CSV table of all heavy atoms in Angstrom, one decimal:
chain,number,residue,atom,x,y,z
A,470,GLY,N,9.2,8.9,3.3
A,470,GLY,CA,8.2,7.8,3.6
A,470,GLY,C,8.9,6.7,4.4
A,470,GLY,O,8.2,6.1,5.4
A,471,LEU,N,10.1,6.3,4.1
A,471,LEU,CA,10.8,5.2,4.8
A,471,LEU,C,11.0,5.7,6.3
A,471,LEU,O,10.8,5.0,7.2
A,471,LEU,CB,12.1,4.9,4.1
A,471,LEU,CG,11.9,4.1,2.8
A,471,LEU,CD1,13.3,4.0,2.1
A,471,LEU,CD2,11.3,2.7,3.0
A,472,LYS,N,11.5,7.0,6.4
A,472,LYS,CA,11.7,7.5,7.7
A,472,LYS,C,10.3,7.6,8.5
A,472,LYS,O,10.3,7.4,9.7
A,472,LYS,CB,12.3,8.9,7.6
A,472,LYS,CG,12.6,9.6,9.0
A,472,LYS,CD,13.3,10.9,8.8
A,472,LYS,CE,13.6,11.6,10.1
A,472,LYS,NZ,14.2,12.9,9.9
A,473,GLY,N,9.2,7.8,7.8
A,473,GLY,CA,7.9,7.9,8.4
A,473,GLY,C,7.3,6.5,8.8
A,473,GLY,O,6.2,6.5,9.2
A,474,GLY,N,8.1,5.4,8.5
A,474,GLY,CA,7.7,4.1,8.9
A,474,GLY,C,7.0,3.2,7.9
A,474,GLY,O,6.4,2.2,8.2
A,475,SER,N,7.2,3.6,6.6
A,475,SER,CA,6.6,2.8,5.6
A,475,SER,C,7.2,1.4,5.5
A,475,SER,O,8.4,1.2,5.5
A,475,SER,CB,6.7,3.5,4.2
A,475,SER,OG,6.2,2.7,3.2
A,476,THR,N,6.3,0.5,5.3
A,476,THR,CA,6.6,-0.9,4.9
A,476,THR,C,5.5,-1.3,4.0
A,476,THR,O,4.5,-0.7,3.8
A,476,THR,CB,6.6,-1.9,6.1
A,476,THR,OG1,5.3,-1.9,6.7
A,476,THR,CG2,7.6,-1.4,7.2
A,477,VAL,N,5.7,-2.5,3.3
A,477,VAL,CA,4.7,-3.0,2.4
A,477,VAL,C,3.4,-3.2,3.2
A,477,VAL,O,2.3,-2.8,2.8
A,477,VAL,CB,5.1,-4.2,1.7
A,477,VAL,CG1,4.0,-4.9,1.0
A,477,VAL,CG2,6.3,-3.9,0.7
A,478,ALA,N,3.5,-3.8,4.4
A,478,ALA,CA,2.3,-4.0,5.2
A,478,ALA,C,1.6,-2.7,5.6
A,478,ALA,O,0.4,-2.6,5.6
A,478,ALA,CB,2.7,-4.8,6.4
A,479,LYS,N,2.4,-1.7,5.9
A,479,LYS,CA,1.8,-0.4,6.3
A,479,LYS,C,1.1,0.2,5.1
A,479,LYS,O,0.0,0.9,5.3
A,479,LYS,CB,3.0,0.5,6.7
A,479,LYS,CG,2.5,1.6,7.7
A,479,LYS,CD,2.1,1.0,9.1
A,479,LYS,CE,1.8,2.1,10.1
A,479,LYS,NZ,1.3,1.6,11.3
A,480,VAL,N,1.6,0.1,3.9
A,480,VAL,CA,1.0,0.7,2.7
A,480,VAL,C,-0.4,0.0,2.5
A,480,VAL,O,-1.4,0.6,2.2
A,480,VAL,CB,1.9,0.5,1.4
A,480,VAL,CG1,1.1,1.0,0.2
A,480,VAL,CG2,3.2,1.3,1.6
A,481,LEU,N,-0.4,-1.4,2.6
A,481,LEU,CA,-1.6,-2.1,2.4
A,481,LEU,C,-2.7,-1.7,3.6
A,481,LEU,O,-3.8,-1.7,3.3
A,481,LEU,CB,-1.4,-3.6,2.4
A,481,LEU,CG,-0.5,-4.1,1.3
A,481,LEU,CD1,-0.3,-5.6,1.3
A,481,LEU,CD2,-1.0,-3.6,-0.1
A,482,GLU,N,-2.1,-1.6,4.7
A,482,GLU,CA,-3.0,-1.1,5.8
A,482,GLU,C,-3.7,0.3,5.5
A,482,GLU,O,-4.9,0.5,5.7
A,482,GLU,CB,-2.2,-1.0,7.1
A,482,GLU,CG,-3.1,-0.5,8.3
A,482,GLU,CD,-2.2,-0.1,9.5
A,482,GLU,OE1,-1.3,-0.9,9.8
A,482,GLU,OE2,-2.4,0.9,10.1
A,483,MET,N,-2.9,1.1,4.9
A,483,MET,CA,-3.4,2.5,4.5
A,483,MET,C,-4.5,2.3,3.5
A,483,MET,O,-5.5,3.0,3.6
A,483,MET,CB,-2.2,3.3,4.0
A,483,MET,CG,-2.7,4.7,3.5
A,483,MET,SD,-1.3,5.6,2.8
A,483,MET,CE,-0.2,5.7,4.2
A,484,VAL,N,-4.3,1.5,2.5
A,484,VAL,CA,-5.3,1.3,1.5
A,484,VAL,C,-6.6,0.7,2.1
A,484,VAL,O,-7.7,1.2,1.8
A,484,VAL,CB,-4.8,0.3,0.4
A,484,VAL,CG1,-5.9,0.1,-0.6
A,484,VAL,CG2,-3.6,1.0,-0.4
A,485,GLY,N,-6.4,-0.2,3.0
A,485,GLY,CA,-7.6,-0.8,3.7
A,485,GLY,C,-8.4,0.2,4.5
A,485,GLY,O,-9.6,0.2,4.5
A,486,ARG,N,-7.7,1.1,5.1
A,486,ARG,CA,-8.4,2.2,5.9
A,486,ARG,C,-9.1,3.2,4.9
A,486,ARG,O,-10.1,3.7,5.2
A,486,ARG,CB,-7.4,2.9,6.8
A,486,ARG,CG,-6.9,2.0,8.0
A,486,ARG,CD,-6.0,2.7,8.9
A,486,ARG,NE,-6.8,3.7,9.7
A,486,ARG,CZ,-6.2,4.6,10.5
A,486,ARG,NH1,-4.9,4.6,10.8
A,486,ARG,NH2,-7.0,5.5,11.1
A,487,PHE,N,-8.4,3.5,3.8
A,487,PHE,CA,-9.1,4.3,2.8
A,487,PHE,C,-10.4,3.7,2.3
A,487,PHE,O,-11.4,4.3,2.1
A,487,PHE,CB,-8.1,4.5,1.6
A,487,PHE,CG,-8.7,5.2,0.4
A,487,PHE,CD1,-8.9,6.5,0.4
A,487,PHE,CD2,-9.1,4.4,-0.7
A,487,PHE,CE1,-9.5,7.1,-0.8
A,487,PHE,CE2,-9.7,5.0,-1.8
A,487,PHE,CZ,-9.9,6.4,-1.8
A,488,ARG,N,-10.3,2.3,2.1
A,488,ARG,CA,-11.5,1.6,1.6
A,488,ARG,C,-12.7,1.6,2.6
A,488,ARG,O,-13.8,1.4,2.1
A,488,ARG,CB,-11.1,0.2,1.2
A,488,ARG,CG,-10.4,0.1,-0.1
A,488,ARG,CD,-11.2,0.3,-1.3
A,488,ARG,NE,-10.5,0.3,-2.5
A,488,ARG,CZ,-10.5,1.2,-3.4
A,488,ARG,NH1,-11.3,2.2,-3.3
A,488,ARG,NH2,-9.8,1.1,-4.5
A,489,GLU,N,-12.4,1.9,3.8
A,489,GLU,CA,-13.5,2.0,4.8
A,489,GLU,C,-14.5,3.1,4.4
A,489,GLU,O,-15.7,3.0,4.7
A,489,GLU,CB,-13.0,2.2,6.2
A,489,GLU,CG,-12.2,1.0,6.7
A,489,GLU,CD,-11.4,1.4,8.0
A,489,GLU,OE1,-11.6,2.6,8.5
A,489,GLU,OE2,-10.7,0.6,8.6
A,490,GLY,N,-14.0,4.1,3.7
A,490,GLY,CA,-14.9,5.2,3.4
A,490,GLY,C,-15.0,5.5,1.9
A,490,GLY,O,-15.8,6.4,1.5
A,491,ASP,N,-14.3,4.7,1.0
A,491,ASP,CA,-14.4,4.9,-0.4
A,491,ASP,C,-14.3,3.5,-1.1
A,491,ASP,O,-13.2,2.9,-1.1
A,491,ASP,CB,-13.3,5.8,-0.9
A,491,ASP,CG,-13.4,6.2,-2.3
A,491,ASP,OD1,-13.7,5.3,-3.2
A,491,ASP,OD2,-13.2,7.4,-2.6
A,492,SER,N,-15.3,3.1,-1.7
A,492,SER,CA,-15.3,1.8,-2.4
A,492,SER,C,-15.2,1.9,-3.9
A,492,SER,O,-15.3,0.9,-4.6
A,492,SER,CB,-16.6,1.0,-2.0
A,492,SER,OG,-17.7,1.7,-2.4
A,493,ASP,N,-15.1,3.2,-4.4
A,493,ASP,CA,-15.2,3.4,-5.8
A,493,ASP,C,-13.9,3.8,-6.5
A,493,ASP,O,-13.7,3.5,-7.6
A,493,ASP,CB,-16.3,4.4,-6.1
A,493,ASP,CG,-17.7,4.0,-5.7
A,493,ASP,OD1,-18.0,2.8,-5.9
A,493,ASP,OD2,-18.4,4.9,-5.2
A,494,THR,N,-13.1,4.7,-5.8
A,494,THR,CA,-11.9,5.2,-6.5
A,494,THR,C,-10.8,4.2,-6.6
A,494,THR,O,-10.4,3.5,-5.7
A,494,THR,CB,-11.3,6.4,-5.6
A,494,THR,OG1,-12.4,7.3,-5.4
A,494,THR,CG2,-10.2,7.0,-6.3
A,495,PRO,N,-10.4,3.9,-7.9
A,495,PRO,CA,-9.3,2.9,-8.1
A,495,PRO,C,-8.0,3.4,-7.5
A,495,PRO,O,-7.6,4.5,-7.6
A,495,PRO,CB,-9.2,2.9,-9.6
A,495,PRO,CG,-10.5,3.4,-10.2
A,495,PRO,CD,-11.0,4.5,-9.1
A,496,ILE,N,-7.3,2.4,-6.9
A,496,ILE,CA,-6.0,2.6,-6.3
A,496,ILE,C,-5.0,1.7,-7.0
A,496,ILE,O,-5.2,0.5,-7.2
A,496,ILE,CB,-6.1,2.2,-4.8
A,496,ILE,CG1,-7.0,3.1,-4.0
A,496,ILE,CG2,-4.6,2.2,-4.2
A,496,ILE,CD1,-6.5,4.5,-3.9
A,497,VAL,N,-3.9,2.4,-7.4
A,497,VAL,CA,-2.8,1.7,-8.1
A,497,VAL,C,-1.6,1.9,-7.3
A,497,VAL,O,-1.2,3.0,-6.9
A,497,VAL,CB,-2.6,2.2,-9.5
A,497,VAL,CG1,-1.5,1.4,-10.2
A,497,VAL,CG2,-3.9,2.0,-10.3
A,498,LEU,N,-0.9,0.8,-6.9
A,498,LEU,CA,0.4,0.9,-6.3
A,498,LEU,C,1.5,1.0,-7.3
A,498,LEU,O,1.5,0.2,-8.2
A,498,LEU,CB,0.6,-0.3,-5.3
A,498,LEU,CG,-0.4,-0.6,-4.2
A,498,LEU,CD1,0.1,-1.7,-3.3
A,498,LEU,CD2,-0.6,0.7,-3.4
A,499,MET,N,2.4,1.9,-7.1
A,499,MET,CA,3.5,2.1,-8.0
A,499,MET,C,4.8,1.9,-7.2
A,499,MET,O,5.0,2.5,-6.2
A,499,MET,CB,3.5,3.4,-8.7
A,499,MET,CG,4.6,3.6,-9.7
A,499,MET,SD,4.3,5.1,-10.7
A,499,MET,CE,5.5,4.8,-12.1
A,500,GLY,N,5.7,1.0,-7.7
A,500,GLY,CA,6.9,0.8,-6.9
A,500,GLY,C,7.8,-0.2,-7.6
A,500,GLY,O,7.8,-0.3,-8.9
A,501,TYR,N,8.7,-0.8,-6.9
A,501,TYR,CA,9.7,-1.7,-7.4
A,501,TYR,C,9.6,-3.1,-6.9
A,501,TYR,O,8.9,-3.4,-5.9
A,501,TYR,CB,11.1,-1.1,-7.0
A,501,TYR,CG,11.3,0.3,-7.6
A,501,TYR,CD1,10.7,1.5,-7.0
A,501,TYR,CD2,12.0,0.4,-8.8
A,501,TYR,CE1,10.9,2.7,-7.6
A,501,TYR,CE2,12.2,1.7,-9.4
A,501,TYR,CZ,11.6,2.8,-8.8
A,501,TYR,OH,11.8,4.0,-9.4
A,502,LEU,N,10.3,-4.0,-7.6
A,502,LEU,CA,10.1,-5.4,-7.3
A,502,LEU,C,10.7,-5.9,-6.0
A,502,LEU,O,10.2,-6.8,-5.4
A,502,LEU,CB,10.7,-6.2,-8.5
A,502,LEU,CG,10.5,-7.7,-8.6
A,502,LEU,CD1,9.0,-8.0,-8.6
A,502,LEU,CD2,11.2,-8.3,-9.8
A,503,ASN,N,11.8,-5.3,-5.6
A,503,ASN,CA,12.5,-5.8,-4.4
A,503,ASN,C,11.6,-5.9,-3.2
A,503,ASN,O,11.6,-7.0,-2.6
A,503,ASN,CB,13.7,-4.9,-4.1
A,503,ASN,CG,14.6,-5.4,-3.0
A,503,ASN,OD1,14.2,-5.4,-1.8
A,503,ASN,ND2,15.7,-6.0,-3.3
A,504,PRO,N,10.8,-4.9,-2.8
A,504,PRO,CA,10.0,-5.1,-1.6
A,504,PRO,C,8.9,-6.2,-1.8
A,504,PRO,O,8.5,-6.8,-0.8
A,504,PRO,CB,9.3,-3.7,-1.4
A,504,PRO,CG,10.2,-2.7,-2.1
A,504,PRO,CD,10.8,-3.5,-3.3
A,505,ILE,N,8.4,-6.3,-3.0
A,505,ILE,CA,7.4,-7.3,-3.3
A,505,ILE,C,8.0,-8.7,-3.2
A,505,ILE,O,7.4,-9.6,-2.6
A,505,ILE,CB,6.7,-7.1,-4.7
A,505,ILE,CG1,6.0,-5.8,-4.7
A,505,ILE,CG2,5.8,-8.3,-5.1
A,505,ILE,CD1,5.4,-5.4,-6.0
A,506,GLY,N,9.2,-8.8,-3.7
A,506,GLY,CA,9.9,-10.1,-3.6
A,506,GLY,C,10.2,-10.5,-2.2
A,506,GLY,O,10.1,-11.7,-1.8
A,507,ALA,N,10.6,-9.5,-1.4
A,507,ALA,CA,10.8,-9.8,0.0
A,507,ALA,C,9.6,-10.2,0.8
A,507,ALA,O,9.6,-11.0,1.7
A,507,ALA,CB,11.5,-8.6,0.7
A,508,TYR,N,8.4,-9.6,0.4
A,508,TYR,CA,7.2,-9.8,1.0
A,508,TYR,C,6.6,-11.2,0.6
A,508,TYR,O,5.9,-11.9,1.4
A,508,TYR,CB,6.2,-8.7,0.6
A,508,TYR,CG,4.9,-8.7,1.4
A,508,TYR,CD1,4.8,-7.9,2.6
A,508,TYR,CD2,3.8,-9.4,1.0
A,508,TYR,CE1,3.6,-7.8,3.3
A,508,TYR,CE2,2.6,-9.3,1.7
A,508,TYR,CZ,2.5,-8.5,2.8
A,508,TYR,OH,1.3,-8.5,3.5
A,509,GLY,N,6.9,-11.6,-0.7
A,509,GLY,CA,6.4,-12.8,-1.3
A,509,GLY,C,5.3,-12.5,-2.3
A,509,GLY,O,4.3,-11.9,-1.9
A,510,PRO,N,5.6,-12.7,-3.6
A,510,PRO,CA,4.6,-12.2,-4.6
A,510,PRO,C,3.2,-12.7,-4.4
A,510,PRO,O,2.2,-12.0,-4.6
A,510,PRO,CB,5.3,-12.8,-5.9
A,510,PRO,CG,6.7,-12.9,-5.6
A,510,PRO,CD,6.8,-13.3,-4.2
């Protein structure tokens, strides 16, 4: 995933594009604190 270009912003963009066609399925992000801390909680 990191090699494929993943960043926190990219993950959120992916969720946003998913939501364009699905407003019902719950999405849960699973990860670690470090990237969130760097992004700003």
Side-chain angles (χ1 to χ4, degrees):
L471 291 170
K472 185 179 179 181
S475 177
T476 62
V477 171
K479 204 73 173 172
V480 175
L481 298 183
E482 177 190 316
M483 179 185 298
V484 175
R486 292 186 65 186
F487 170 80
R488 284 285 174 234
E489 293 169 1
D491 188 315
S492 60
D493 297 322
T494 305
I496 295 291
V497 179
L498 298 187
M499 187 168 190
Y501 295 83
L502 188 58
N503 186 285
I505 295 173
Y508 193 91

